[in-house]
Structure formats: C-alpha cells, structure tokens
Amino acid sequence: MKCFGKVLPWSFRSHVAVYLILVAIMSGLSAMVLGSLINRSAILTEMLQSEHEYAITLQQLDRDTELSTEEILVILERSNLETLFLKNGDPKAEALRNIIGDTGIATVGSFNGMPITCVVTASGIVYIQAAEQYSLYSSTLTRVMSVGVFFIAAFLLAALFGSKRISHPITELTDATRRISEGDFSVRVPEDDHGEVGELMHSFNHMTEALGRTSYVQKDFISSVSHEFKTPIASIKGYARLLSMSGLSEDERQEYIQMIASESDRLSRLSNTMLRLTALEQQGKSATEDNLRMDEQVRQVILRMQTLWQEKQILWDLDLQEVSIVSDGALLEQVWTNLIQNAIKFSGTGSTIHIKVWKENKRAFFEVRDHGIGIKEGDLQHIFDRFYQADSSRSSEGVGLGLSIVHRILDMLNGTIRVTSVLHEGSVFCVTIPVTPEGGK
C-alpha cells in the first residue's frame, strides 16, 4: 500500500478484512456451484410439473367442451410455455401416438435442457415446452446469481464488521504501547474480552503495572540519591579542601581525615540501605515461608547487639512468650534488628528497654518500649517516610531509612506497625503479623 509515494505496512485490520473477504468470495462461489446443482434439479422438476398441469388442463377442456384445440391453446396461453399443434394425419403425430400410448401424456425429449411434453387431443397432438428464453442454463444462472450476490454482499458486510471487531483489541494495544513508549505507565486496556484476547489484555495490564512500579522506583531512587548524597559529598569536598591548606596542625589534619572517613562510611551505609529498600519495593510479596519461633528470633537479635547495649549499660525487661509462626524469617529479622537498634540508639545510658512477644487471636505481637528522647507529635506521621529523621542532632548516626524498610517488610507480610511516643519520655513500637500467611491454615 502506498501513500504519497511511501510504502506503508498493512494494518492488522486490513489483513483480517482481506482474509475475511477472500473467505466470503470463496464461500460464495462454492455456494453458487452447489446451488446450481440443486437449482438445476429443482427447475427441471418445476418445469415438468408445469407442463403436465398444462397438459391435463388441455385434455380436460378438449374432452368437456366443443372448443377446437387451437381455441383451447389460445385460452391456456402462458408466458413461460410454448406449444406446437400437429393435426391428425401428420406423419409425426402418428409416430408420437405410438410412443405416448394410452395415457395421452408423455415426456418425449428436451429443448434448451428443458423437458418436452406431448399430449393427445381429439384433433391431434400438442407439443408443450419451455419458452425459448427460459433455458435451463439461464434459469439456473439467474437463481444462483441472485442468491450468490446476496450471500457475498451479506458476508462482505459481516467481514468488514468482524474485522473491525477483531482488530479493536489490537488497535487498543497498539495505542497503549505507543503511550508506554512515551513514558505513560498509567495506561490500561479493557479486559472485557474472554479467552486468549482477555488473557493478553490482562497480561498487558500486569506488565504495565510492573513497569510503572519499576519506573517509579528508579526515578525515586535517583531523586533520593541526588538529594541525600549532596550533604556528605559536600562535607568530604570541604574537608578535602581544608586538608590541602598549609599550616595545619597534626591534630587538625587527623580530625579532617576522620571526618572524611566518617562521611564516606555514611555514604556507604546510605547506598547499601537504599539498594536494600529498592529491592524490597520491587518485590511484590514474600515468597519464603519459614516455621520459626518469634520469641527465639528476638532473643538472638538482642544477643547479637550485645556490644552496643553493654557500652550504654542498657538493662532489659523481657517478656517473651513462646510464639510459633510461619513467615519470612530473614525479613522479620530485619524488622526486629531495626526496631531494637533504634531503641538502643535513642536510649540514655543506664536506661531500661522493655520487649514483649505474645500471641492472640491468630496474630503475633511484638512490642518494644524505651525511655529515650521520644518523638515530637508532629513528627510521628512522617517517621516511616524515606530519609526522615526526627532527631536532626543524630543524623550522622543513620540515614533515615530503617523505619521505611520496616514498614515495607510488614506490608509484604500483611503486618502492621503502630507507634506512640512522648517527647523526652520514650517511644513504643508495636508490630502485629499473622501467625500464618494470608490464605494459610
């Protein structure tokens, strides 16, 4: 197909329409051939029946009236029949009498493919045959053509409508694909169709949703990196310039080197934590189901942090009831680690941390309470946001992603987390998770 001298590819709808039109033409031709065979027999039967009815009527009038045969033929004249009268004494008439026999009516041959019927009257023999314009071929062709043309026309209309109906989902997919290529991942296609087309639409929407999530994570990751890396990079750059200055004492030089190392460590922690959170956000749900003792897992996390809490002389008040659950052990360990680590970090020297684990109504509960610096009421609604740090004075100790990771993990495990806090008095974090995964027994 050409448009302004340029060769354009045929659309899917054009291919479907051409295919259906070809099928319509082939079906119409096949129907015409089959119809001609059927109509040929029907036309012969109809003509023979018409000639016999004419012959019977002719005999009755010849027998019951005093009209001559010529007068009767004028009365019975029909447009589709022709007659020929052979009077008695004609050699052909005498020969036909012997062929016809006692019945007085007989089919003796054909003309233009149509039958010829002879009938005996008192004054001779009458030939009855189809009119010259009514040949078997023309009659059959007329019938077949009228039906065939109607059939093909109806099928062509159905083909055009069908091609539009069939190609409509493909057209929608094409348009949606173009919009996706332009960066619009909000596009969705209807899933009204059933069968393979419906599955294709559903798969396309699922793919678009996944692409949208991936695109969002990538953009958010880049935005977060550019924002959060700015401060430590600026610090490293500043301290590096200070190191290049002459006249620095050894203590100042070591201090600047230590600050550069500290900021580098912060960058490393920030990168690793962001990558971990990004991986969690791309993961739809946890695929791992472990049989574990939640109380033992919490106890092991506390033991692994012994060096941290011993430095601050932290005391523990533990109420760890025996709780068995089926969940993702590795992800839950990150939850306990982040929450307990925060409690240690923001607790004062010599303070007590209370941890309780229990089960109730097919739900497992974990609660950690500290007597640390607490959280301002205005900050509570933001503590699960990325990079949010309620205590800006301690920003060098973390990157503000720990609670974001906790919140995402609990979303994946169908769990929840609640927090209450009073400034300068402490905070309470309470985690709730199902004893068995959603849909489990």
Side-chain angles (χ1 to χ4, degrees), residues 86-106:
L86 301 178
K87 295 182 179 181
N88 291 332
D90 190 307
K92 291 183 179 180
E94 296 303 324
L96 285 171
R97 284 181 184 275
N98 298 327
I99 296 173
I100 295 172
D102 298 334
T103 59
I105 299 174

Side-chain angles (χ1 to χ4, degrees), residues 45-61 72 76 78 80-81 105 107 117-119 128:
T45 302
E46 290 174 5
M47 185 56 66
L48 186 60
Q49 183 178 359
S50 179
E51 291 178 359
H52 273 250
E53 290 176 353
Y54 187 97
I56 292 172
T57 304
L58 177 61
Q59 276 190 335
Q60 289 177 344
L61 291 176
I72 295 174
L76 297 178
R78 296 184 184 179
N80 64 329
L81 295 176
I105 299 174
T107 302
T117 301
C118 291
V119 56
I128 306 171

Side-chain angles (χ1 to χ4, degrees), residues 169-185 187-190 201 204-205 207-208:
I170 306 302
T171 303
E172 288 186 326
L173 280 176
T174 303
D175 180 64
T177 304
R178 177 185 57 77
R179 291 172 59 185
I180 288 175
S181 67
E182 296 172 355
D184 181 9
F185 295 101
V187 61
R188 297 291 185 272
V189 293
M201 296 300 195
F204 180 87
N205 287 337
M207 177 197 71
T208 305

Side-chain angles (χ1 to χ4, degrees), residues 152-165:
I152 292 176
F155 207 107
L156 287 177
L157 291 175
L160 294 175
F161 175 79
S163 65
K164 182 178 180 180
R165 178 68 180 85

Side-chain angles (χ1 to χ4, degrees), residues 215-363:
S215 176
Y216 170 79
V217 169
Q218 289 175 343
K219 291 178 181 178
D220 192 49
F221 182 81
I222 293 172
S223 175
S224 300
V225 166
S226 63
H227 178 268
E228 295 300 322
F229 278 31
K230 189 182 301 181
T231 300
I233 290 175
S235 298
I236 293 172
K237 186 177 180 180
Y239 288 121
R241 285 178 177 175
L242 290 174
L243 281 173
S244 66
M245 296 173 62
S246 59
L248 292 177
S249 66
E250 185 60 29
D251 289 341
E252 289 176 326
R253 190 179 302 277
Q254 290 299 323
E255 180 184 355
Y256 296 155
I257 291 174
Q258 183 62 34
M259 293 302 296
I260 290 175
S262 176
E263 291 298 308
S264 299
D265 289 340
R266 186 183 176 197
L267 279 176
S268 178
R269 293 196 308 271
L270 181 61
S271 300
N272 292 332
T273 308
M274 287 183 67
L275 288 172
R276 187 188 313 159
L277 182 57
T278 301
L280 288 173
E281 289 180 337
Q282 287 180 320
Q283 184 177 348
K285 62 178 181 178
S286 173
T288 304
E289 294 182 2
D290 304 316
N291 293 298
L292 56 93
R293 283 271 301 278
M294 197 170 89
D295 55 305
E296 285 295 329
Q297 194 179 49
V298 171
R299 187 177 287 109
Q300 291 298 320
V301 170
I302 296 173
L303 290 175
R304 281 198 297 272
M305 295 183 182
Q306 184 174 358
T307 57
L308 296 178
W309 51 265
Q310 279 186 341
E311 289 179 1
K312 302 184 72 171
Q313 301 176 7
I314 298 294
L315 301 177
W316 295 95
D317 176 22
L318 304 179
D319 181 9
L320 307 180
Q321 299 180 18
E322 182 177 327
V323 177
S324 297
I325 63 173
V326 178
S327 190
D328 191 313
L331 293 182
L332 278 180
E333 188 172 335
Q334 290 188 53
V335 173
W336 316 141
T337 299
N338 278 305
L339 293 178
I340 295 173
Q341 189 175 41
N342 281 347
I344 296 172
K345 183 189 303 182
F346 299 112
S347 292
T349 302
S351 62
T352 302
I353 296 177
H354 310 268
I355 294 181
K356 183 179 180 180
V357 173
W358 75 99
K359 182 172 67 173
E360 184 179 326
N361 296 328
K362 297 184 179 180
R363 307 287 291 183

Side-chain angles (χ1 to χ4, degrees), residues 93-142:
E94 296 303 324
L96 285 171
R97 284 181 184 275
N98 298 327
I99 296 173
I100 295 172
D102 298 334
T103 59
I105 299 174
T107 302
V108 296
S110 63
F111 173 73
N112 285 337
M114 296 291 195
I116 299 176
T117 301
C118 291
V119 56
V120 178
T121 64
S123 55
I125 294 178
V126 178
Y127 277 89
I128 306 171
Q129 63 186 31
E132 188 173 356
Q133 67 271 23
Y134 292 101
S135 66
L136 180 61
Y137 174 77
S138 62
S139 300
T140 303
L141 184 62
T142 300

